[in-house]
Amino acid sequence: MERYDVIVVGAGPAGLGAAIEAGRAGARVLLLDEHDRPGGQLFKQIHKFFGSQAHHAGTRGYAIGQMLLQEAAEAGVTLGLGQRVWGIFPDGSVTSTDETTSTRRWGNYLVLATGAAERAVSFPGCTLPGVMTAGAAQTLVNLQHVLPGREAVMVGAGNVGLIVSYQLLQAGVQVQAVVEAMPEITGYAVHAGKVQRAGVPILTGHTVVQALGDSCLEGVELAALDAAGQPIPDSRRLLPCDTLCLAVGLNPRMELAAAAQCELVWSGPLGGLLPRHNARMETSNPHILVAGDLAGIEEASTALDEGRMAGLGCAYKLGLLDPAVYSRRCQEVQDRLDSLRQGPFGARRRTAKEEVFFL
């Protein structure tokens, strides 16, 4: 029977942050992930982060991932990879499977850092080979070093769509256009600028009407949208492509939180349905904390700091941190989170958290 002080589900930046802080305080920590390598999205992020030195400004995502893995090892965190968690029970036990055997483990506290799932949109031809999510294309290019195609169209001018478009360009894919239904670019100007300087048009107020092809994708039909969001018939045009990437948003992966009977709430700015939580990442279940995209869709740096907040909370609840030290460390993390939630995008998410989620 395996018992731990803290079990963390999800080895992305949020889960690593939680495991590192709890481990450093002396907790016995198990970090579980369904994949065969830890790090989550960080190892797909070949671009340099920006912001402050505290948020690893100027460092590429995969390098940050390597640093966090080293910190986790130094903190004595036990890794359980290839473990898909499928059950959380009232006695504090967690059940996971490696696809052949299920294993049950017990933890005093549980941190859920299960991340998010990519959304999709439905249109004629959306099931053709060559239509994929932006994350799938990013995985092919940056992790598996395989081109998804030669000519691509990106749907969505948020940060994910813009960043992946630029990374496709770096890999040698011709990006025909970035298509955005909103009347303005929704991602950061720095990312949009890179794509536009490379000669890629960003078509705001446009949508994909249909994907064309017989056995595989051969092109897409686009149309401008009117004020009611409906395609304008005489604006339709065709773009040849063999790859259509969808970057149309993320939804928190809240299934385990729901199974654990955490109270759930809805917020459009934060991605949809997610666990209600407070500033210390505590949920309505006193033994479960959340962090990262499960607590609201934001950036990787935010996920890391939310994970650190959750890990500190576990250590404090276990009696491993002095109250004064805990309070000081939490304030340091909160100050970093506040700095990340500046500007029009961050402020909107900060307001959503303050008004809807804090218990």
Side-chain angles (χ1 to χ4, degrees):
M1 181 187 302
E2 296 181 45
R3 290 189 175 274
Y4 296 87
D5 296 319
V6 181
I7 297 177
V8 181
V9 181
L16 283 167
I20 288 167
E21 292 299 336
R24 282 176 174 169
R28 189 180 181 212
V29 181
L30 173 66
L31 178 59
L32 297 172
D33 196 278
E34 62 186 345
H35 299 293
D36 59 2
R37 62 179 294 181
Q41 300 298 314
L42 287 172
F43 284 93
K44 297 195 295 185
Q45 296 175 347
I46 63 173
H47 58 282
K48 293 181 179 179
F49 280 38
F50 57 90
S52 67
Q53 184 176 359
H55 296 120
H56 307 288
T59 305
R60 300 187 188 277
Y62 62 83
I64 297 172
Q66 291 166 347
M67 288 190 291
L68 292 176
L69 294 182
Q70 180 61 36
E71 290 179 18
E74 293 171 353
V77 174
T78 299
L79 276 176
L81 300 177
Q83 293 286 324
R84 184 186 297 272
V85 175
W86 61 265
I88 298 174
F89 301 95
D91 64 353
S93 63
V94 171
T95 304
S96 65
T97 179
D98 60 4
E99 307 300 342
T100 59
T101 304
S102 284
T103 304
R104 196 169 188 178
R105 304 172 176 89
W106 279 261
N108 290 321
Y109 293 97
L110 176 63
V111 178
L112 296 179
T114 48
E118 290 184 279
R119 295 175 185 165
V121 289
S122 179
F123 47 83
C126 64
T127 60
L128 281 170
V131 181
M132 65 188 72
T133 64
Q138 190 181 40
T139 298
L140 286 172
V141 169
N142 293 347
L143 292 185
Q144 300 173 355
H145 309 296
V146 174
L147 292 182
R150 295 292 178 181
E151 295 178 311
V153 172
M154 178 68 67
V155 180
N159 286 329
V160 172
L162 296 172
I163 289 171
V164 175
S165 292
Y166 190 70
Q167 292 174 357
L168 288 172
L169 289 168
Q170 290 178 301
V173 178
Q174 181 179 347
V175 180
Q176 303 282 64
V178 177
V179 182
E180 171 59 56
M182 297 294 289
E184 68 280 329
I185 295 170
T186 56
Y188 292 145
V190 64
H191 299 315
K194 285 183 178 181
V195 173
Q196 291 172 314
R197 286 194 296 272
V200 178
I202 300 178
L203 307 177
T204 56
H206 281 70
T207 190
V208 173
V209 176
Q210 61 178 328
L212 306 171
D214 294 323
S215 59
C216 62
L217 181 68
E218 297 175 9
V220 295
E221 181 180 3
L222 307 179
L225 297 173
D226 61 21
Q230 297 301 310
I232 302 172
D234 59 3
S235 71
R236 297 192 178 198
R237 60 167 160 158
L238 300 179
L239 275 183
C241 64
D242 57 14
T243 305
L244 179 62
C245 300
L246 307 177
V248 292
L250 302 168
N251 292 124
R253 294 185 60 184
M254 38 59 64
E255 295 85 356
L256 285 177
Q261 298 184 339
C262 295
E263 181 186 354
L264 302 178
V265 290
W266 176 271
S267 171
L270 294 176
L273 199 62
L274 66 155
R276 186 176 177 88
H277 60 280
N278 63 16
R280 299 293 171 91
M281 312 313 297
E282 299 163 326
T283 71
S284 59
N285 185 320
H287 295 281
I288 297 179
L289 296 87
V290 294
D293 282 345
L294 174 61
I297 306 300
E298 295 187 80
E299 308 297 331
S301 296
T302 304
L304 175 58
D305 270 335
E306 286 190 340
R308 293 191 187 281
M309 185 76 82
L312 290 169
C314 291
Y316 177 68
K317 292 171 184 291
L318 289 163
L320 299 173
L321 285 179
D322 178 81
V325 173
Y326 172 61
S327 179
R328 175 178 57 80
R329 293 292 312 282
C330 285
Q331 189 58 56
E332 291 171 355
V333 175
Q334 189 61 56
D335 288 344
R336 294 199 300 269
L337 286 170
D338 290 342
S339 72
L340 287 168
R341 291 168 177 152
Q342 300 297 318
F345 300 106
R348 186 181 180 207
R349 296 187 179 103
R350 183 181 67 249
T351 299
K353 289 219 171 192
E354 290 173 349
E355 293 183 349
V356 181
F357 298 105
F358 287 179
L359 298 170

